[in-house]
Amino acid sequence: MTKPHILQVGPYPAWDQEPLDAAFHMHRYDQAPDKAAFLAEVGPQVRAIATRGELGANAAMIEACPALQVISVYGVGYDAVDLAACRARGIRVTNTPDVLTEDCADLGVAMMLALTRGVIGAEAWVRDGSWAAKGGYPLQRKATGKRVGILGLGRIGHQVARRLAGFDMAIAYSARAPKDVSWEYIPDPVALAARSDILFVTLAASAATRHIVNADVIRALGPQGLLINISRAGNIDEEALLTALETGALGSAALDVFEGEPRLNPRFLALPNVLLQPHHASGTYETRQAMGKLLRDNLTAHFAGQPLLTAVL
Ligand code: 8YV
């Protein structure tokens, strides 16, 4: 049997690349110097696209592959895939939910603790000799017992809330409808931010959620507030966020995602009140191996005529 032709949009670790190369004919879009020429050349043979959450598959890519049947995303977020183009052509889409939920929640909580307690600066204080030269590190802010808002109580938001319950936090959340949980339901983002010291953004991104964290939400969180984003940059009005951080209208922010990443707005780099992370909430060996397996299992199931394991379309 001839191997199905797959367009590979981004790199994968060797433990995924080897089995992918063995089972499929992988076309490395990520390594092609002239992307448009490469698409024009291989597009007609392509029956599947293997991509990553942050890279997705745009309309031009989908259009260049007239025999495309399925797009398999390495990531839970599929907002970068042009779903309208997929729907119009009956192209299936899969993602990798569940396997990364715990790691994403863990990193969110780690970012909260690192920022409130000044862990990064305190470490530098030890290394550069400040401790011995100047004495103890400046006092920081307590995390335990604070009022926390979870904007989007999906799988990841739920795991964040579960962890924060262990910090005796007063938890409130937003969702499309109230959930069967004991935490307070506050669907309006401004009202949620206004009653929160710390606001976690854990919302699946879509056109409808773009800039859901706008200037009003940021203002409601306030000069003592902490904003944590482990979802997608598009959920926050980044311009409003930068201005609020620069002027002190917002206390601080811990961010794992950025517009135009990995080349983030340099204004972030000049800010003392931010914790910046390189979009690695799912970045552990255990989780990335599980994500890679799920990506491959979906492709294998599709070409074996079996039901997709984790279809979103
Ligand atoms: C990335 C993510 O996909 O799951 C998501 O939606 O954004 C991440 O897990 C990961 O960096 C792999 O590309």
mmCIF file of all heavy atoms in Angstrom, residues 3-53:
data_model
loop_
_atom_site.group_PDB
_atom_site.id
_atom_site.type_symbol
_atom_site.label_atom_id
_atom_site.label_comp_id
_atom_site.label_asym_id
_atom_site.label_seq_id
_atom_site.Cartn_x
_atom_site.Cartn_y
_atom_site.Cartn_z
ATOM 1 N N LYS A 3 2.036 4.912 0.911
ATOM 2 C CA LYS A 3 1.849 5.695 2.133
ATOM 3 C C LYS A 3 1.051 6.969 1.809
ATOM 4 O O LYS A 3 1.360 7.651 0.828
ATOM 5 C CB LYS A 3 3.210 6.108 2.683
ATOM 6 C CG LYS A 3 4.064 4.965 3.201
ATOM 7 C CD LYS A 3 5.354 5.599 3.687
ATOM 8 C CE LYS A 3 6.368 4.614 4.130
ATOM 9 N NZ LYS A 3 7.618 5.267 4.529
ATOM 10 N N PRO A 4 0.086 7.326 2.680
ATOM 11 C CA PRO A 4 -0.626 8.594 2.464
ATOM 12 C C PRO A 4 0.338 9.781 2.560
ATOM 13 O O PRO A 4 1.252 9.776 3.380
ATOM 14 C CB PRO A 4 -1.639 8.636 3.614
ATOM 15 C CG PRO A 4 -1.746 7.238 4.116
ATOM 16 C CD PRO A 4 -0.436 6.570 3.831
ATOM 17 N N HIS A 5 0.114 10.777 1.716
ATOM 18 C CA HIS A 5 0.960 11.983 1.719
ATOM 19 C C HIS A 5 0.417 12.984 2.733
ATOM 20 O O HIS A 5 -0.771 13.314 2.710
ATOM 21 C CB HIS A 5 0.987 12.604 0.325
ATOM 22 C CG HIS A 5 1.783 11.800 -0.653
ATOM 23 N ND1 HIS A 5 2.999 12.197 -1.134
ATOM 24 C CD2 HIS A 5 1.534 10.589 -1.219
ATOM 25 C CE1 HIS A 5 3.474 11.278 -1.961
ATOM 26 N NE2 HIS A 5 2.586 10.296 -2.037
ATOM 27 N N ILE A 6 1.312 13.453 3.598
ATOM 28 C CA ILE A 6 0.915 14.382 4.665
ATOM 29 C C ILE A 6 1.781 15.632 4.609
ATOM 30 O O ILE A 6 3.002 15.548 4.490
ATOM 31 C CB ILE A 6 1.030 13.698 6.050
ATOM 32 C CG1 ILE A 6 0.035 12.537 6.141
ATOM 33 C CG2 ILE A 6 0.821 14.707 7.178
ATOM 34 C CD1 ILE A 6 -0.052 11.869 7.491
ATOM 35 N N LEU A 7 1.129 16.777 4.717
ATOM 36 C CA LEU A 7 1.856 18.048 4.803
ATOM 37 C C LEU A 7 2.145 18.321 6.276
ATOM 38 O O LEU A 7 1.224 18.387 7.095
ATOM 39 C CB LEU A 7 0.990 19.168 4.212
ATOM 40 C CG LEU A 7 1.650 20.539 4.104
ATOM 41 C CD1 LEU A 7 2.671 20.551 2.960
ATOM 42 C CD2 LEU A 7 0.595 21.625 3.873
ATOM 43 N N GLN A 8 3.419 18.476 6.607
ATOM 44 C CA GLN A 8 3.819 18.716 8.008
ATOM 45 C C GLN A 8 4.157 20.196 8.185
ATOM 46 O O GLN A 8 5.128 20.691 7.613
ATOM 47 C CB GLN A 8 5.017 17.828 8.365
ATOM 48 C CG GLN A 8 5.472 18.035 9.791
ATOM 49 C CD GLN A 8 6.571 17.086 10.226
ATOM 50 O OE1 GLN A 8 6.735 16.001 9.649
ATOM 51 N NE2 GLN A 8 7.339 17.475 11.220
ATOM 52 N N VAL A 9 3.386 20.858 9.014
ATOM 53 C CA VAL A 9 3.484 22.327 9.111
ATOM 54 C C VAL A 9 4.583 22.795 10.067
ATOM 55 O O VAL A 9 5.176 23.850 9.882
ATOM 56 C CB VAL A 9 2.108 22.916 9.532
ATOM 57 C CG1 VAL A 9 2.162 24.437 9.589
ATOM 58 C CG2 VAL A 9 1.017 22.469 8.564
ATOM 59 N N GLY A 10 4.837 22.009 11.119
ATOM 60 C CA GLY A 10 5.874 22.391 12.098
ATOM 61 C C GLY A 10 6.694 21.175 12.496
ATOM 62 O O GLY A 10 6.354 20.054 12.125
ATOM 63 N N PRO A 11 7.758 21.393 13.260
ATOM 64 C CA PRO A 11 8.606 20.261 13.665
ATOM 65 C C PRO A 11 7.990 19.457 14.814
ATOM 66 O O PRO A 11 7.192 19.985 15.578
ATOM 67 C CB PRO A 11 9.890 20.958 14.135
ATOM 68 C CG PRO A 11 9.438 22.295 14.607
ATOM 69 C CD PRO A 11 8.255 22.681 13.779
ATOM 70 N N TYR A 12 8.371 18.189 14.907
ATOM 71 C CA TYR A 12 8.007 17.337 16.045
ATOM 72 C C TYR A 12 9.277 16.719 16.605
ATOM 73 O O TYR A 12 10.282 16.594 15.896
ATOM 74 C CB TYR A 12 7.054 16.204 15.608
ATOM 75 C CG TYR A 12 5.741 16.697 15.052
ATOM 76 C CD1 TYR A 12 5.367 16.419 13.740
ATOM 77 C CD2 TYR A 12 4.866 17.434 15.845
ATOM 78 C CE1 TYR A 12 4.166 16.889 13.227
ATOM 79 C CE2 TYR A 12 3.668 17.904 15.340
ATOM 80 C CZ TYR A 12 3.320 17.629 14.031
ATOM 81 O OH TYR A 12 2.145 18.099 13.526
ATOM 82 N N PRO A 13 9.245 16.277 17.866
ATOM 83 C CA PRO A 13 10.411 15.582 18.416
ATOM 84 C C PRO A 13 10.692 14.295 17.631
ATOM 85 O O PRO A 13 9.792 13.744 16.978
ATOM 86 C CB PRO A 13 9.983 15.238 19.845
ATOM 87 C CG PRO A 13 8.794 16.088 20.136
ATOM 88 C CD PRO A 13 8.141 16.396 18.830
ATOM 89 N N ALA A 14 11.933 13.818 17.723
ATOM 90 C CA ALA A 14 12.342 12.620 16.972
ATOM 91 C C ALA A 14 11.432 11.434 17.270
ATOM 92 O O ALA A 14 11.136 10.638 16.376
ATOM 93 C CB ALA A 14 13.789 12.282 17.317
ATOM 94 N N TRP A 15 10.945 11.329 18.532
ATOM 95 C CA TRP A 15 10.104 10.168 18.866
ATOM 96 C C TRP A 15 8.765 10.187 18.139
ATOM 97 O O TRP A 15 8.082 9.175 18.089
ATOM 98 C CB TRP A 15 9.913 10.035 20.379
ATOM 99 C CG TRP A 15 9.222 11.200 21.033
ATOM 100 C CD1 TRP A 15 7.921 11.577 20.898
ATOM 101 C CD2 TRP A 15 9.805 12.147 21.933
ATOM 102 N NE1 TRP A 15 7.657 12.698 21.636
ATOM 103 C CE2 TRP A 15 8.787 13.068 22.297
ATOM 104 C CE3 TRP A 15 11.078 12.307 22.476
ATOM 105 C CZ2 TRP A 15 9.019 14.138 23.164
ATOM 106 C CZ3 TRP A 15 11.289 13.364 23.348
ATOM 107 C CH2 TRP A 15 10.279 14.271 23.680
ATOM 108 N N ASP A 16 8.381 11.332 17.602
ATOM 109 C CA ASP A 16 7.183 11.390 16.755
ATOM 110 C C ASP A 16 7.563 11.368 15.275
ATOM 111 O O ASP A 16 6.878 10.766 14.459
ATOM 112 C CB ASP A 16 6.391 12.671 17.025
ATOM 113 C CG ASP A 16 5.740 12.660 18.383
ATOM 114 O OD1 ASP A 16 5.229 11.598 18.779
ATOM 115 O OD2 ASP A 16 5.745 13.711 19.051
ATOM 116 N N GLN A 17 8.647 12.049 14.950
ATOM 117 C CA GLN A 17 9.032 12.162 13.538
ATOM 118 C C GLN A 17 9.323 10.781 12.944
ATOM 119 O O GLN A 17 8.902 10.490 11.821
ATOM 120 C CB GLN A 17 10.260 13.071 13.403
ATOM 121 C CG GLN A 17 10.508 13.544 11.977
ATOM 122 C CD GLN A 17 9.374 14.416 11.435
ATOM 123 O OE1 GLN A 17 8.963 15.374 12.065
ATOM 124 N NE2 GLN A 17 8.842 14.065 10.269
ATOM 125 N N GLU A 18 10.018 9.947 13.712
ATOM 126 C CA GLU A 18 10.390 8.628 13.163
ATOM 127 C C GLU A 18 9.163 7.780 12.821
ATOM 128 O O GLU A 18 9.053 7.312 11.688
ATOM 129 C CB GLU A 18 11.349 7.911 14.123
ATOM 130 C CG GLU A 18 12.757 8.498 13.987
ATOM 131 C CD GLU A 18 13.650 8.212 15.184
ATOM 132 O OE1 GLU A 18 13.367 7.252 15.942
ATOM 133 O OE2 GLU A 18 14.632 8.972 15.371
ATOM 134 N N PRO A 19 8.212 7.593 13.763
ATOM 135 C CA PRO A 19 7.019 6.828 13.383
ATOM 136 C C PRO A 19 6.178 7.511 12.298
ATOM 137 O O PRO A 19 5.568 6.823 11.468
ATOM 138 C CB PRO A 19 6.234 6.676 14.687
ATOM 139 C CG PRO A 19 6.886 7.546 15.690
ATOM 140 C CD PRO A 19 8.250 7.883 15.198
ATOM 141 N N LEU A 20 6.167 8.841 12.270
ATOM 142 C CA LEU A 20 5.427 9.526 11.199
ATOM 143 C C LEU A 20 6.065 9.212 9.851
ATOM 144 O O LEU A 20 5.372 8.875 8.874
ATOM 145 C CB LEU A 20 5.420 11.045 11.435
ATOM 146 C CG LEU A 20 4.440 11.585 12.488
ATOM 147 C CD1 LEU A 20 4.721 13.053 12.784
ATOM 148 C CD2 LEU A 20 2.983 11.393 12.055
ATOM 149 N N ASP A 21 7.403 9.312 9.784
ATOM 150 C CA ASP A 21 8.112 9.040 8.526
ATOM 151 C C ASP A 21 7.937 7.587 8.093
ATOM 152 O O ASP A 21 7.907 7.284 6.903
ATOM 153 C CB ASP A 21 9.613 9.364 8.677
ATOM 154 C CG ASP A 21 9.874 10.863 8.744
ATOM 155 O OD1 ASP A 21 9.006 11.637 8.290
ATOM 156 O OD2 ASP A 21 10.935 11.253 9.271
ATOM 157 N N ALA A 22 7.828 6.684 9.085
ATOM 158 C CA ALA A 22 7.687 5.249 8.750
ATOM 159 C C ALA A 22 6.301 4.957 8.169
ATOM 160 O O ALA A 22 6.165 4.150 7.251
ATOM 161 C CB ALA A 22 7.927 4.410 10.007
ATOM 162 N N ALA A 23 5.275 5.636 8.707
ATOM 163 C CA ALA A 23 3.898 5.289 8.303
ATOM 164 C C ALA A 23 3.377 6.132 7.146
ATOM 165 O O ALA A 23 2.476 5.707 6.429
ATOM 166 C CB ALA A 23 2.961 5.454 9.505
ATOM 167 N N PHE A 24 3.928 7.339 6.992
ATOM 168 C CA PHE A 24 3.375 8.279 6.007
ATOM 169 C C PHE A 24 4.485 8.890 5.164
ATOM 170 O O PHE A 24 5.651 8.858 5.539
ATOM 171 C CB PHE A 24 2.618 9.411 6.738
ATOM 172 C CG PHE A 24 1.570 8.930 7.699
ATOM 173 C CD1 PHE A 24 1.779 9.003 9.077
ATOM 174 C CD2 PHE A 24 0.379 8.387 7.237
ATOM 175 C CE1 PHE A 24 0.822 8.550 9.977
ATOM 176 C CE2 PHE A 24 -0.595 7.930 8.129
ATOM 177 C CZ PHE A 24 -0.369 8.014 9.503
ATOM 178 N N HIS A 25 4.085 9.489 4.060
ATOM 179 C CA HIS A 25 5.033 10.266 3.253
ATOM 180 C C HIS A 25 4.903 11.711 3.732
ATOM 181 O O HIS A 25 3.941 12.405 3.378
ATOM 182 C CB HIS A 25 4.680 10.124 1.771
ATOM 183 C CG HIS A 25 5.721 10.656 0.865
ATOM 184 N ND1 HIS A 25 6.301 9.916 -0.134
ATOM 185 C CD2 HIS A 25 6.308 11.874 0.826
ATOM 186 C CE1 HIS A 25 7.197 10.669 -0.753
ATOM 187 N NE2 HIS A 25 7.217 11.854 -0.185
ATOM 188 N N MET A 26 5.843 12.137 4.575
ATOM 189 C CA MET A 26 5.747 13.466 5.196
ATOM 190 C C MET A 26 6.396 14.523 4.293
ATOM 191 O O MET A 26 7.556 14.373 3.901
ATOM 192 C CB MET A 26 6.426 13.486 6.570
ATOM 193 C CG MET A 26 5.900 12.453 7.559
ATOM 194 S SD MET A 26 4.134 12.590 7.942
ATOM 195 C CE MET A 26 4.055 14.128 8.857
ATOM 196 N N HIS A 27 5.676 15.578 4.006
ATOM 197 C CA HIS A 27 6.214 16.692 3.220
ATOM 198 C C HIS A 27 6.490 17.844 4.184
ATOM 199 O O HIS A 27 5.548 18.399 4.775
ATOM 200 C CB HIS A 27 5.222 17.126 2.148
ATOM 201 C CG HIS A 27 4.973 16.060 1.124
ATOM 202 N ND1 HIS A 27 5.847 15.798 0.106
ATOM 203 C CD2 HIS A 27 3.952 15.176 0.996
ATOM 204 C CE1 HIS A 27 5.377 14.802 -0.634
ATOM 205 N NE2 HIS A 27 4.228 14.406 -0.111
ATOM 206 N N ARG A 28 7.769 18.207 4.362
ATOM 207 C CA ARG A 28 8.175 19.147 5.410
ATOM 208 C C ARG A 28 8.003 20.603 4.965
ATOM 209 O O ARG A 28 8.961 21.268 4.562
ATOM 210 C CB ARG A 28 9.610 18.861 5.839
ATOM 211 C CG ARG A 28 9.832 17.464 6.429
ATOM 212 C CD ARG A 28 9.091 17.290 7.760
ATOM 213 N NE ARG A 28 9.490 18.241 8.771
ATOM 214 C CZ ARG A 28 10.431 18.023 9.702
ATOM 215 N NH1 ARG A 28 11.057 16.879 9.743
ATOM 216 N NH2 ARG A 28 10.713 18.950 10.602
ATOM 217 N N TYR A 29 6.780 21.092 5.097
ATOM 218 C CA TYR A 29 6.490 22.512 4.838
ATOM 219 C C TYR A 29 7.365 23.403 5.712
ATOM 220 O O TYR A 29 7.844 24.458 5.280
ATOM 221 C CB TYR A 29 5.003 22.755 5.142
ATOM 222 C CG TYR A 29 4.521 24.172 4.969
ATOM 223 C CD1 TYR A 29 4.173 24.661 3.722
ATOM 224 C CD2 TYR A 29 4.367 25.011 6.077
ATOM 225 C CE1 TYR A 29 3.703 25.954 3.568
ATOM 226 C CE2 TYR A 29 3.897 26.304 5.936
ATOM 227 C CZ TYR A 29 3.567 26.778 4.685
ATOM 228 O OH TYR A 29 3.110 28.056 4.544
ATOM 229 N N ASP A 30 7.582 22.967 6.968
ATOM 230 C CA ASP A 30 8.369 23.774 7.907
ATOM 231 C C ASP A 30 9.804 23.956 7.444
ATOM 232 O O ASP A 30 10.466 24.910 7.827
ATOM 233 C CB ASP A 30 8.340 23.154 9.316
ATOM 234 C CG ASP A 30 8.832 21.712 9.354
ATOM 235 O OD1 ASP A 30 8.576 20.953 8.402
ATOM 236 O OD2 ASP A 30 9.497 21.346 10.346
ATOM 237 N N GLN A 31 10.302 23.047 6.606
ATOM 238 C CA GLN A 31 11.696 23.138 6.156
ATOM 239 C C GLN A 31 11.825 23.718 4.746
ATOM 240 O O GLN A 31 12.936 23.873 4.242
ATOM 241 C CB GLN A 31 12.346 21.744 6.182
ATOM 242 C CG GLN A 31 12.495 21.198 7.592
ATOM 243 C CD GLN A 31 13.093 19.801 7.620
ATOM 244 O OE1 GLN A 31 13.158 19.124 6.594
ATOM 245 N NE2 GLN A 31 13.524 19.373 8.792
ATOM 246 N N ALA A 32 10.689 23.992 4.106
ATOM 247 C CA ALA A 32 10.729 24.466 2.715
ATOM 248 C C ALA A 32 11.140 25.939 2.667
ATOM 249 O O ALA A 32 10.512 26.771 3.338
ATOM 250 C CB ALA A 32 9.358 24.287 2.068
ATOM 251 N N PRO A 33 12.174 26.289 1.904
ATOM 252 C CA PRO A 33 12.576 27.701 1.836
ATOM 253 C C PRO A 33 11.527 28.573 1.138
ATOM 254 O O PRO A 33 11.269 29.694 1.564
ATOM 255 C CB PRO A 33 13.893 27.675 1.051
ATOM 256 C CG PRO A 33 14.073 26.288 0.524
ATOM 257 C CD PRO A 33 13.046 25.383 1.153
ATOM 258 N N ASP A 34 10.906 28.038 0.082
ATOM 259 C CA ASP A 34 9.867 28.800 -0.639
ATOM 260 C C ASP A 34 8.528 28.100 -0.389
ATOM 261 O O ASP A 34 8.179 27.140 -1.077
ATOM 262 C CB ASP A 34 10.216 28.838 -2.137
ATOM 263 C CG ASP A 34 9.205 29.668 -2.931
ATOM 264 O OD1 ASP A 34 8.079 29.895 -2.429
ATOM 265 O OD2 ASP A 34 9.546 30.077 -4.058
ATOM 266 N N LYS A 35 7.787 28.594 0.612
ATOM 267 C CA LYS A 35 6.563 27.915 1.062
ATOM 268 C C LYS A 35 5.523 27.823 -0.065
ATOM 269 O O LYS A 35 4.899 26.788 -0.256
ATOM 270 C CB LYS A 35 5.942 28.648 2.257
ATOM 271 C CG LYS A 35 6.888 28.915 3.419
ATOM 272 C CD LYS A 35 7.129 27.690 4.242
ATOM 273 C CE LYS A 35 7.960 28.012 5.473
ATOM 274 N NZ LYS A 35 8.825 26.925 5.909
ATOM 275 N N ALA A 36 5.339 28.920 -0.792
ATOM 276 C CA ALA A 36 4.293 28.942 -1.823
ATOM 277 C C ALA A 36 4.625 27.943 -2.930
ATOM 278 O O ALA A 36 3.751 27.163 -3.363
ATOM 279 C CB ALA A 36 4.155 30.345 -2.395
ATOM 280 N N ALA A 37 5.886 27.921 -3.347
ATOM 281 C CA ALA A 37 6.294 26.981 -4.417
ATOM 282 C C ALA A 37 6.161 25.542 -3.922
ATOM 283 O O ALA A 37 5.716 24.650 -4.656
ATOM 284 C CB ALA A 37 7.739 27.281 -4.834
ATOM 285 N N PHE A 38 6.506 25.313 -2.663
ATOM 286 C CA PHE A 38 6.413 23.974 -2.081
ATOM 287 C C PHE A 38 4.964 23.502 -2.048
ATOM 288 O O PHE A 38 4.642 22.376 -2.438
ATOM 289 C CB PHE A 38 7.013 23.999 -0.666
ATOM 290 C CG PHE A 38 7.095 22.656 -0.013
ATOM 291 C CD1 PHE A 38 8.054 21.729 -0.394
ATOM 292 C CD2 PHE A 38 6.206 22.309 0.998
ATOM 293 C CE1 PHE A 38 8.124 20.477 0.214
ATOM 294 C CE2 PHE A 38 6.273 21.073 1.611
ATOM 295 C CZ PHE A 38 7.236 20.155 1.227
ATOM 296 N N LEU A 39 4.074 24.394 -1.617
ATOM 297 C CA LEU A 39 2.640 24.050 -1.561
ATOM 298 C C LEU A 39 2.102 23.729 -2.945
ATOM 299 O O LEU A 39 1.346 22.764 -3.131
ATOM 300 C CB LEU A 39 1.851 25.222 -0.993
ATOM 301 C CG LEU A 39 1.530 25.251 0.496
ATOM 302 C CD1 LEU A 39 0.588 26.395 0.794
ATOM 303 C CD2 LEU A 39 0.936 23.929 0.967
ATOM 304 N N ALA A 40 2.507 24.552 -3.936
ATOM 305 C CA ALA A 40 2.030 24.329 -5.306
ATOM 306 C C ALA A 40 2.519 22.975 -5.823
ATOM 307 O O ALA A 40 1.795 22.269 -6.532
ATOM 308 C CB ALA A 40 2.518 25.458 -6.215
ATOM 309 N N GLU A 41 3.709 22.578 -5.401
ATOM 310 C CA GLU A 41 4.303 21.333 -5.892
ATOM 311 C C GLU A 41 3.678 20.094 -5.229
ATOM 312 O O GLU A 41 3.269 19.155 -5.895
ATOM 313 C CB GLU A 41 5.815 21.372 -5.620
ATOM 314 C CG GLU A 41 6.581 20.177 -6.117
ATOM 315 C CD GLU A 41 7.966 20.101 -5.457
ATOM 316 O OE1 GLU A 41 8.533 21.163 -5.132
ATOM 317 O OE2 GLU A 41 8.423 18.965 -5.236
ATOM 318 N N VAL A 42 3.578 20.111 -3.881
ATOM 319 C CA VAL A 42 3.129 18.894 -3.185
ATOM 320 C C VAL A 42 1.634 18.893 -2.881
ATOM 321 O O VAL A 42 1.047 17.821 -2.646
ATOM 322 C CB VAL A 42 3.931 18.635 -1.871
ATOM 323 C CG1 VAL A 42 5.414 18.634 -2.142
ATOM 324 C CG2 VAL A 42 3.574 19.637 -0.781
ATOM 325 N N GLY A 43 1.003 20.082 -2.865
ATOM 326 C CA GLY A 43 -0.404 20.213 -2.469
ATOM 327 C C GLY A 43 -1.340 19.179 -3.101
ATOM 328 O O GLY A 43 -2.138 18.559 -2.390
ATOM 329 N N PRO A 44 -1.247 18.964 -4.432
ATOM 330 C CA PRO A 44 -2.194 18.043 -5.066
ATOM 331 C C PRO A 44 -2.150 16.610 -4.516
ATOM 332 O O PRO A 44 -3.150 15.891 -4.588
ATOM 333 C CB PRO A 44 -1.780 18.085 -6.539
ATOM 334 C CG PRO A 44 -1.144 19.436 -6.710
ATOM 335 C CD PRO A 44 -0.446 19.708 -5.422
ATOM 336 N N GLN A 45 -1.009 16.192 -3.941
ATOM 337 C CA GLN A 45 -0.921 14.814 -3.405
ATOM 338 C C GLN A 45 -1.373 14.715 -1.956
ATOM 339 O O GLN A 45 -1.615 13.615 -1.450
ATOM 340 C CB GLN A 45 0.533 14.343 -3.419
ATOM 341 C CG GLN A 45 1.265 14.482 -4.737
ATOM 342 C CD GLN A 45 2.747 14.255 -4.495
ATOM 343 O OE1 GLN A 45 3.180 13.134 -4.228
ATOM 344 N NE2 GLN A 45 3.519 15.321 -4.563
ATOM 345 N N VAL A 46 -1.463 15.851 -1.263
ATOM 346 C CA VAL A 46 -1.652 15.843 0.194
ATOM 347 C C VAL A 46 -3.069 15.408 0.585
ATOM 348 O O VAL A 46 -4.054 15.959 0.120
ATOM 349 C CB VAL A 46 -1.344 17.253 0.759
ATOM 350 C CG1 VAL A 46 -1.859 17.410 2.186
ATOM 351 C CG2 VAL A 46 0.148 17.533 0.698
ATOM 352 N N ARG A 47 -3.134 14.396 1.481
ATOM 353 C CA ARG A 47 -4.447 13.938 1.967
ATOM 354 C C ARG A 47 -4.671 14.291 3.430
ATOM 355 O O ARG A 47 -5.782 14.165 3.940
ATOM 356 C CB ARG A 47 -4.570 12.440 1.748
ATOM 357 C CG ARG A 47 -4.637 12.107 0.244
ATOM 358 C CD ARG A 47 -4.450 10.634 -0.001
ATOM 359 N NE ARG A 47 -5.524 9.851 0.547
ATOM 360 C CZ ARG A 47 -5.431 8.549 0.832
ATOM 361 N NH1 ARG A 47 -4.288 7.909 0.619
ATOM 362 N NH2 ARG A 47 -6.455 7.887 1.337
ATOM 363 N N ALA A 48 -3.585 14.687 4.112
ATOM 364 C CA ALA A 48 -3.728 15.099 5.518
ATOM 365 C C ALA A 48 -2.718 16.203 5.815
ATOM 366 O O ALA A 48 -1.676 16.295 5.170
ATOM 367 C CB ALA A 48 -3.493 13.923 6.450
ATOM 368 N N ILE A 49 -3.059 17.023 6.812
ATOM 369 C CA ILE A 49 -2.113 18.022 7.321
ATOM 370 C C ILE A 49 -1.850 17.690 8.783
ATOM 371 O O ILE A 49 -2.794 17.459 9.556
ATOM 372 C CB ILE A 49 -2.681 19.455 7.180
ATOM 373 C CG1 ILE A 49 -2.752 19.871 5.703
ATOM 374 C CG2 ILE A 49 -1.833 20.455 7.958
ATOM 375 C CD1 ILE A 49 -3.360 21.260 5.459
ATOM 376 N N ALA A 50 -0.571 17.628 9.144
ATOM 377 C CA ALA A 50 -0.189 17.471 10.553
ATOM 378 C C ALA A 50 0.379 18.815 10.990
ATOM 379 O O ALA A 50 1.338 19.309 10.397
ATOM 380 C CB ALA A 50 0.856 16.368 10.701
ATOM 381 N N THR A 51 -0.245 19.414 12.014
ATOM 382 C CA THR A 51 0.184 20.756 12.397
ATOM 383 C C THR A 51 0.320 20.866 13.910
ATOM 384 O O THR A 51 0.258 19.856 14.617
ATOM 385 C CB THR A 51 -0.790 21.810 11.818
ATOM 386 O OG1 THR A 51 -0.260 23.111 12.064
ATOM 387 C CG2 THR A 51 -2.184 21.698 12.392
ATOM 388 N N ARG A 52 0.543 22.059 14.387
ATOM 389 C CA ARG A 52 0.668 22.323 15.816
ATOM 390 C C ARG A 52 -0.361 23.376 16.195
ATOM 391 O O ARG A 52 -0.789 24.161 15.333
ATOM 392 C CB ARG A 52 2.079 22.830 16.150
ATOM 393 C CG ARG A 52 3.181 21.862 15.803
ATOM 394 C CD ARG A 52 4.557 22.482 16.004
ATOM 395 N NE ARG A 52 4.821 22.800 17.383
ATOM 396 C CZ ARG A 52 5.633 22.116 18.194
ATOM 397 N NH1 ARG A 52 6.284 21.064 17.739
ATOM 398 N NH2 ARG A 52 5.813 22.486 19.444
ATOM 399 N N GLY A 53 -0.715 23.404 17.479
ATOM 400 C CA GLY A 53 -1.763 24.321 17.930
ATOM 401 C C GLY A 53 -1.564 25.749 17.471
ATOM 402 O O GLY A 53 -2.477 26.380 16.935
#
